[in-house]
Amino acid sequence: DTGVSQDPRHKITKRGQNVTFRCDPISEHNRLYWYRQTLGQGPEFLTYFQNEAQLEKSRLLSDRFSAERPKGSFSTLEIQRTEQGDSAMYLCASSLEANTGELFFGEGSRLTVL
Amino acid sequence: AQSVSQHNHHVILSEAASLELGCNYSYGGTVNLFWYVQYPGQHLQLLLKYFSGDPLVKGIKGFEAEFIKSKFSFNLRKPSVQWSDTAEYFCAVRGSQGNLIFGKGTKLSVKP
């Protein structure tokens, strides 16, 4: 499968623990986006990268959230000191820089905080 | 800021019924508009998109959408739905950073 892949697909953790999600975009795509989706809502934009540069991070939900894309390929999203309100599906998407705006999504990483 | 409104939270139809899902966006300038679909247990997939030109856009699986600039609308239509169309449908507008801004989604249930 040459689509966007995310790992793990499901994560259950206790409140206060740190979690990290990984996203592998489509190989030739240099833009990578992170979204959060909660029940009954559409995906909510968090941050994005163009190659290794993080060009928008003001939408990250708090300073407990951080993302990296160190070599311009895969990306990680880390949540520190998780809270029950962080329970959600975390989606990754990628696109070509100059394309016509279509984003290709992964299947998401579902986080449950107990 | 740009935003998208989807009017219906949950739509229930019988097979062969016609479908129209409403979507309104807030931005008055040049817009790029999208409909994505999420089948149960699957990732979001693009149904169709509008950038310019013919306001009637045809997508995959018999779906189409009409861009009406005067109404800030981009409604999704299908003349005859099938059970396999059961899914959640999201309207989105492209943001200034290339990201997509999504509506809350409409869950479609098609009864066989």
Side-chain angles (χ1 to χ4, degrees):
Chain A
D1 188 340
T2 56
V4 177
S5 62
Q6 294 188 241
D7 183 70
R9 295 288 311 280
H10 304 274
K11 178 71 176 180
I12 301 172
T13 191
K14 293 181 179 179
R15 188 177 53 187
Q17 298 295 305
N18 299 343
V19 296
T20 300
F21 301 114
R22 176 180 170 124
C23 171
D24 287 89
I26 294 171
S27 60
E28 63 267 28
H29 287 185
N30 44 30
R31 284 199 171 183
L32 186 149
Y33 300 83
W34 284 99
Y35 283 79
R36 183 180 79 156
Q37 187 175 17
T38 53
L39 200 62
Q41 302 294 319
E44 176 188 8
F45 171 62
L46 296 179
T47 186
Y48 89 102
F49 295 84
Q50 183 167 305
N51 300 312
E52 65 275 11
Q54 189 173 13
L55 299 185
E56 170 61 64
K57 52 185 177 180
S58 66
R59 304 291 186 91
L60 286 168
L61 301 162
S62 79
D63 59 5
R64 298 183 297 104
F65 287 70
S66 63
E68 292 184 340
R69 194 183 183 196
K71 297 181 180 178
S73 57
F74 74 91
S75 175
T76 57
L77 176 70
E78 182 182 17
I79 309 173
Q80 296 182 326
R81 305 181 304 280
T82 53
E83 301 173 356
Q84 287 186 324
D86 297 332
S87 295
M89 180 74 86
Y90 291 87
L91 301 173
C92 177
S94 69
S95 73
L96 288 170
E97 177 180 350
N99 84 332
T100 51
E102 177 180 353
L103 270 59
F104 294 81
F105 284 85
E107 294 189 355
S109 293
R110 181 172 295 282
L111 173 65
T112 301
V113 181
L114 302 176
Chain B
Q2 291 164 306
S3 65
V4 173
S5 300
Q6 292 186 243
H7 313 305
N8 311 100
H9 179 63
H10 192 185
V11 172
I12 302 172
L13 295 173
S14 297
E15 275 194 313
S18 64
L19 170 72
E20 181 161 4
L21 301 182
C23 171
N24 286 92
Y25 60 93
S26 63
Y27 182 59
T30 301
V31 288
N32 299 155
L33 294 160
F34 304 78
W35 275 97
Y36 276 77
V37 61
Q38 188 168 29
Y39 298 103
Q42 295 188 26
H43 61 280
L44 282 158
Q45 302 171 41
L46 181 70
L47 267 182
L48 49 79
K49 60 187 177 185
Y50 171 79
F51 281 77
S52 63
D54 188 345
L56 186 62
V57 180
K58 295 194 184 297
I60 61 171
K61 305 187 180 186
F63 286 90
E64 64 179 31
E66 185 175 12
F67 170 61
I68 303 180
K69 188 173 182 179
S70 61
K71 295 185 178 179
F72 296 85
S73 72
F74 189 56
N75 292 355
L76 181 70
R77 301 195 293 244
K78 186 171 184 178
S80 175
V81 294
Q82 301 173 319
W83 178 78
S84 58
D85 294 324
T86 294
E88 193 157 14
Y89 293 81
F90 294 92
C91 183
V93 63
R94 186 181 182 192
S96 58
Q97 295 157 333
N99 60 309
L100 297 184
I101 300 162
F102 287 88
K104 291 187 176 183
T106 297
K107 188 171 291 188
L108 172 65
S109 298
V110 180
K111 298 184 293 184

